[in-house]
Amino acid sequence: MDDNEIVDLYWKRNEQAIKETNEKYGAYCLKISLNILADMSDSEENVNDTYWQAWSSIPPQRPNSLKAFLAKIARNLALNKYKAAHTKKRLASEFAISLDELDSCTPSKITVEDEVGIGRLSKCISDFLRQQSTDARGVFVCRYFYCESVNDIAVRFGYSHSKIKSMLMRTRERLKSYLKQEGYFEE
């Protein structure tokens, strides 16, 4: 079933929408959740919460891309669960590691966690990524949006582990330079 048909089921309030969503995007949402939460039980619960949020949001929203819509919901819910569970300590998950990596190219007074949901930094990063090569952009998004491991990214792109680490480091350096130009760092 294609995405438009699934969205139509949501609009008709047909519970088959959840089943079809699970069949098509269940593994995808679970992977996003696992990358952030690093716990199967919490991730499965997060996927169910994603379906509930989608059910509650469609209608009135009619997403252009159901996959992106679900990814955003799953990621935001997982981030909220992660923050709630780890306010005092950080688990060495791919999510925590990827945040630590990004801390080096964000302004010292602002952490990535502080900037989640703030439009200007998001727009700057999006503008920056549009200027990057397809591979650099894809690797960056896999690491810092989907919180995938370097090994998983290497397999996906067909590069070595060290090449992915190098690409990420260079992209972070370019991002830091770009953010300096945009006034995020004091000279």
Side-chain angles (χ1 to χ4, degrees), residues 19-162:
K19 182 177 183 263
E20 297 295 334
T21 299
N22 186 52
E23 285 180 21
K24 190 164 184 181
Y25 296 115
Y28 176 69
C29 291
L30 183 63
K31 177 71 172 156
I32 292 168
S33 300
L34 270 171
N35 287 343
I36 295 170
L37 299 171
D39 179 84
M40 182 59 81
S41 177
D42 288 347
S43 296
E44 288 170 346
E45 179 182 333
N46 196 70
V47 171
N48 288 331
D49 292 346
T50 299
Y51 299 156
W52 172 250
Q53 184 74 40
W55 181 263
S56 300
S57 301
I58 307 172
Q61 296 182 53
R62 188 169 194 93
N64 292 329
S65 169
L66 183 59
K67 183 177 183 179
F69 183 76
L70 294 168
K72 185 175 180 180
I73 292 171
R75 183 176 188 274
N76 288 340
L77 290 172
L79 288 170
N80 291 339
K81 285 180 199 280
Y82 179 90
K83 286 178 189 175
H86 299 94
T87 54
K88 293 185 180 176
K89 64 174 187 168
R90 277 197 158 174
L91 180 67
S93 68
E94 288 302 326
F95 174 63
I97 294 166
S98 68
L99 285 182
D100 288 341
E101 290 172 358
L102 275 181
D103 279 344
S104 69
C105 63
T106 57
S108 59
K109 296 178 185 171
I110 301 171
T111 66
V112 173
E113 292 95 339
D114 294 334
E115 286 292 343
V116 171
I118 296 177
R120 184 168 179 261
L121 181 61
S122 297
K123 184 180 180 327
C124 281
I125 293 171
S126 292
D127 292 346
F128 165 79
L129 288 174
R130 282 188 200 94
Q131 298 171 21
Q132 303 307 302
S133 71
T134 302
D135 279 355
R137 180 175 48 247
V139 166
F140 190 90
V141 168
C142 285
R143 181 68 174 154
Y144 302 116
F145 184 82
Y146 295 113
C147 304
E148 290 183 11
S149 71
V150 172
N151 288 334
D152 288 349
I153 298 168
V155 169
R156 177 186 298 226
F157 284 85
Y159 294 135
S160 69
H161 181 270
S162 61

